[in-house]
Amino acid sequence: MTDFATTKAQFQLPAGMIYLDGNSLGPLPRATAARVAQTVEAEWGDLLITAWNKAAWMDKPMRVGDRIARLIGAEAGHVVMGDTLSIKVYQALASCLEMNPTRKVILSDTGNFPSDLYMAEGLCRTLGNGYTLKTVAPEDVLDAIDDSVAVTMITEVDYRTGRRHDMAAITARAHQHGALTIWDLAHSAGAFQVELAKCNADFAVGCTYKYLNSGPGGPAFIYVAPRHADTARPALSGWQGHAAPFAFDLDYRPATGAERMRVGTPPILQLAALEASLDIWDTVDMQDLRAASLKLQDQYIAGIEAACPSLTLATPRNHQDRGSQVSFRHPEGYAIMQAMIARGVIGDFRAPDIIRCGFTPLFIDAADVEKAIKIIADIMQNNLWDRPDYKTRAKVT
């Protein structure tokens, strides 16, 4: 059994704070500062440019990718790190459209994170010639897959409600109709065991600054299924994805396998921070994680519904239909969240009315949840959120 008391002790958490926002920005592992300092001082400082070879900096995108592969059910050698999630979405979309040239429809859903939709819209504008993004309600995705769809682009867990799509069913339906699949794992990787290979997914992308605790601006990753790894052409032909980067050829030749999806110089300091977090993840059994997370979520749902009847549950009740966050709705959701934050319960707000909290047992336990429920109950029962300063929107919500 995973010892979650031990994992909690490995995170720097301010005294008295109940941090329920690891689904948006993971907390700082205690080992991160020293790991980054070592990279800065002993590698960059002492080795300078020789660190690319002596400290194996050039290999980090694939080596770290293999450590994430375990958490997302991917084959070794088929996850590569680097760049941002939006760039990886663009790469995957462009590759899929080129691989399915007789079709011009990208299918997504209205619950998808807007950035993914923006990237799809931008690519369609660039390509012109009838390419289009089609969005349907999340519950209608399966029925909307037909022979016109080139690729489905779905975020497995809805960033607002926590609703979880059925990856296996959607992937099977897409393949039945000749479509490819892209899965955004931003709210899945580190939330529960993802099964990319078992579900026969084509591509997947994700970020690492949420559940994987790599820090703000942490690098993204992309997965390419083995059957596509040597044929998918990267639309962003960066020098790091070249077959021989230091041959300095004037013509682009893609590297073999998923490594061709590398673009620019890897973010070595952010990868060092991620490695410190992955050291913790190496001690975690994903089945233990899922069971503990669901238990915390159920505790929170029961407590809030009993004490705060004006809050409406937005997250599915069935375990198989949700990720690792719980969302409640209220017309004054923003003000309520500000009141919670003022009392040391850190979650976040998502427009128009979502009060969102994440439950990762790596650093959250039942005592934390009990305290959070009592504080939220006090806020709601005594209308403590009804203050002008709590209703003034900040730049980041």
Side-chain angles (χ1 to χ4, degrees):
M1 295 290 291
T2 303
D3 185 349
F4 290 114
T6 297
T7 64
K8 183 174 184 176
Q10 294 180 68
F11 287 93
Q12 179 177 316
L13 297 165
M17 177 184 289
I18 302 169
Y19 192 68
L20 304 180
D21 210 15
N23 55 301
S24 191
L25 176 66
L28 174 68
R30 294 185 182 278
T32 298
R35 178 67 64 87
V36 173
Q38 177 187 354
T39 303
V40 170
E41 296 167 6
E43 296 177 13
W44 180 16
D46 294 340
L47 301 178
L48 288 168
I49 200 167
T50 68
W52 286 106
N53 291 316
K54 292 181 179 178
W57 282 357
M58 190 60 76
D59 300 328
K60 276 187 182 288
M62 295 300 296
R63 190 169 67 245
V64 175
D66 278 344
R67 297 181 71 181
I68 288 177
R70 177 182 76 89
L71 307 178
I72 60 176
E75 302 90 341
H78 290 275
V79 178
V80 63
M81 309 300 303
D83 317 302
T84 67
L85 178 52
S86 292
I87 288 175
K88 293 309 178 194
V89 168
Y90 190 96
Q91 282 185 286
L93 279 172
S95 293
C96 287
L97 292 178
E98 186 173 297
M99 292 163 65
N100 216 350
T102 64
R103 302 184 182 194
K104 298 185 177 182
V105 175
I106 300 168
L107 176 66
S108 191
D109 70 83
T110 54
N112 205 347
F113 193 68
S115 179
D116 288 11
L117 303 181
Y118 302 160
M119 298 308 290
E121 289 172 349
L123 179 58
C124 288
R125 285 194 301 270
T126 298
L127 293 173
N129 199 28
Y131 282 95
T132 185
L133 169 67
K134 177 182 178 180
T135 57
V136 298
E139 60 271 19
D140 294 334
V141 167
L142 201 63
D143 291 337
I145 300 173
D146 58 27
D147 293 345
S148 71
V149 175
V151 56
T152 61
M153 178 186 67
I154 305 296
T155 297
E156 187 179 15
V157 175
D158 189 308
Y159 76 101
R160 302 164 308 168
T161 66
R163 179 188 185 276
R164 181 180 177 183
H165 282 286
D166 187 333
M167 179 184 288
I170 289 175
T171 301
R173 179 71 62 88
H175 290 171
Q176 179 185 348
H177 286 276
L180 295 165
T181 61
I182 300 169
W183 288 95
D184 184 335
L185 307 180
H187 291 273
S188 306
F192 51 81
Q193 179 67 63
V194 182
E195 298 289 0
L196 291 176
K198 187 178 293 186
C199 291
N200 207 26
D202 296 296
F203 291 80
V205 296
C207 57
T208 60
Y209 52 81
K210 300 180 188 292
Y211 292 102
L212 299 182
N213 315 301
S214 67
F221 61 83
I222 186 168
Y223 163 80
V224 186
R227 61 187 176 277
H228 302 312
D230 288 320
T231 55
R233 191 177 68 85
L236 300 175
S237 303
W239 79 297
Q240 290 282 310
H242 194 282
F246 288 91
F248 299 111
D249 292 341
L250 296 184
D251 296 320
Y252 181 79
R253 292 181 292 112
T256 57
E259 197 155 14
R260 63 180 51 197
M261 292 296 176
R262 292 175 65 167
V263 182
T265 303
I268 296 302
L269 300 184
Q270 289 281 183
L271 285 170
L274 176 56
E275 287 178 308
S277 177
L278 291 175
D279 288 346
I280 301 173
W281 279 104
D282 287 346
T283 70
V284 175
D285 179 272
M286 296 303 288
Q287 291 185 340
D288 293 346
L289 178 89
R290 180 61 170 166
S293 175
L294 288 171
K295 188 174 182 179
L296 295 174
Q297 292 174 55
D298 288 345
Q299 177 189 355
Y300 179 73
I301 291 170
I304 294 297
E305 289 193 319
C308 310
S310 64
L311 298 181
T312 302
L313 183 66
T315 299
R317 294 186 185 278
N318 292 333
H319 286 178
Q320 66 270 23
D321 294 332
R322 63 168 119 125
S324 290
Q325 69 186 61
V326 175
S327 296
F328 281 89
R329 296 186 185 276
H330 192 282
E332 295 290 345
Y334 181 81
I336 293 167
M337 180 52 67
Q338 301 319 298
M340 289 168 55
I341 292 171
R343 296 280 296 276
V345 179
I346 312 299
D348 58 22
F349 169 79
R350 289 296 177 261
D353 58 359
I354 292 287
I355 301 165
R356 187 177 76 162
C357 293
F359 295 87
T360 174
L362 262 67
F363 53 85
I364 295 296
D365 57 31
D368 294 325
V369 174
E370 182 180 0
K371 291 176 186 176
I373 292 168
K374 290 180 179 178
I375 290 170
I376 297 169
D378 185 38
I379 289 169
M380 296 307 299
Q381 291 168 7
N382 295 293
N383 293 326
L384 302 182
W385 54 266
D386 195 9
R387 289 174 31 174
D389 55 326
Y390 289 160
K391 299 180 182 182
T392 302
R393 298 285 178 101
K395 185 174 291 187
V396 178
T397 63

